[in-house]
Amino acid sequence: MPYAEKIVVQALEKTGSTWITQEDLEKEMARSNTGTMNDIIYGVKDKFLVSFKMGNGMTAYSTRHFHEAENKIAENVMRLQFVIPSKKYDNEVIDQLIDEFEEKKNSGHKLHYHQRDAVKMVCNNNFSVLTGGPGTGKTTVLSAITYCLRALDQRIKIIFTAPTGKAARRITESTGEHASTVHKKLNIGNNSNLSSVFYEDAMFIDESSMNDIELSNILMKSIPDGRKIVFVGDVDQLPSVGPGAVLRDLIASNTVPVTMLTHTFRQDNNSKLFANICNIRNGIPQFIDGEDFHSILLPPGKGQEKLATQQILSAYQKAIKKYGIDKVVVLVPYRKKKLCSNSLNNQLQQIANPGKCGYQYTNQSDRNVLFFKKNDFVMQLVNRDECANGDVGQVISSSAAGIKVKYTDATVSYTPDDLGQLALAYSMTIHKSQGSEYQCVIMCFLEEHKIMLQRNLIYTGITRAKKECIVIYQQKALEKACKTIADANRFTLLKEKLQDLRAQYRMIYGI
């Protein structure tokens, strides 16, 4: 990678942006003591970098790769909407099918009018976005949509996908529909330019807030004309790890049909879990305790790791007795350093699986000693053929030859040399939990986690809980998180490119 491009890529990866202003780039170069504006100017001349003059007179920079990825996504969004337009159905026809779904598949429960709107949106458009928070009935809507699409066309082929194996399994469990990861469906490997073409008639992409600019570009160009594509996600959750804010930009552009589900069904009015989800989503740094939500406030200042750990271990011991080991998780912002999932896992293991027979492994990169035992829950940390990064399985055998792990769809053997791919999964980072659900979530965040503290992070952690959430925290940490929205400062131009291209389509085709 050319030097100038490397400077810009490193700056963008820190913020998740696809563009950076000259002012911010100069600050970053000064902070990291790398490069000068002359390097950047030469990078533009050599076409490794791209510059853009903003309306306020400032100049922004990006790599040619990110710039072209945004262009291609915008082009493909328009292509999929308009080159072969979707067949249109009368509202009366779809309403009748929804009535049938309610009676036959939904135990007579009626859909909210927003949910009905979502079904009609997908049936009548080739590209659409369905968004909403936890408990707003996205799963019911997806089931209603598939019912209606199959009633309208008995030959239709539908596929459900998600960015992670965990999220794909949740779709299968909740809808009964087979689902796979986007990577597996499109055969995206180390050489992402060789992705497969999507041949089914309709594709749903769940947890789409996790899709970065790179994956979204590969996905969009893999879809032929005339197919039906639905992005499903919650914009209040954590944004993608990689650069971009694709779901946010699609919704904000007003160039694609969007239905936002706002009516909540999952929790009743007495649910404090739901009340706290709403508080965090609205940036209110206050927790309300009740039967399904418990907050433990720690004293302010540094040095509270020991007390926090004691509270976590105590809460965990009670929770696994109530719900079972596989239905409880401890979530923290960090995987390494101080109060982190690595250090907690070894202690939680002694509570959940205290046996002494197993295989000891030293992870040199983490500087962590692990003891893999039969019945341990473990997480895969990298993609491989049999399982994906983030998948959680259970150890079924452990010996000097290595271990075997049972995942939902496969049993995988690990030699001692492979064990760096695994971590214990009694605790994990909040990022790694995205796409999962647990009966009980125990979450801890402290002032020492300040670099990671964002509203989206706390929201994502709390919304992993289905029945009960226990939060161990410091007030300043909560206030810091509520003030910071993860993708608010992500500087991208996808929204503007979508709007510009939509205006061109309107002038040329009158649509």
Side-chain angles (χ1 to χ4, degrees), residues 448-462:
E448 69 176 49
H449 297 130
K450 63 181 180 181
I451 295 174
M452 295 292 291
L453 293 178
Q454 301 161 339
R455 189 186 305 180
N456 315 62
L457 188 83
I458 309 305
Y459 176 87
T460 299
I462 293 176

Side-chain angles (χ1 to χ4, degrees), residues 394-462:
Q394 190 168 25
V395 177
I396 57 175
S397 69
S398 177
S399 68
I403 69 172
K404 284 186 179 180
V405 179
K406 176 70 172 69
Y407 296 98
T408 301
D409 301 319
T411 298
V412 182
S413 296
Y414 295 84
T415 67
D417 291 339
D418 295 331
L419 293 180
Q421 299 177 13
L422 292 175
L424 293 171
Y426 302 106
S427 175
M428 65 184 72
T429 64
I430 299 170
H431 278 86
K432 282 291 187 183
S433 75
Q434 195 160 0
S436 301
E437 279 188 345
Y438 292 85
Q439 297 296 306
C440 179
V441 166
I442 301 166
M443 182 169 62
C444 180
F445 55 94
L446 306 175
E447 293 173 23
E448 69 176 49
H449 297 130
K450 63 181 180 181
I451 295 174
M452 295 292 291
L453 293 178
Q454 301 161 339
R455 189 186 305 180
N456 315 62
L457 188 83
I458 309 305
Y459 176 87
T460 299
I462 293 176

Side-chain angles (χ1 to χ4, degrees), residues 232-245:
V232 184
D234 182 352
V235 288
D236 292 316
Q237 287 191 31
L238 285 163
S240 58
V241 174

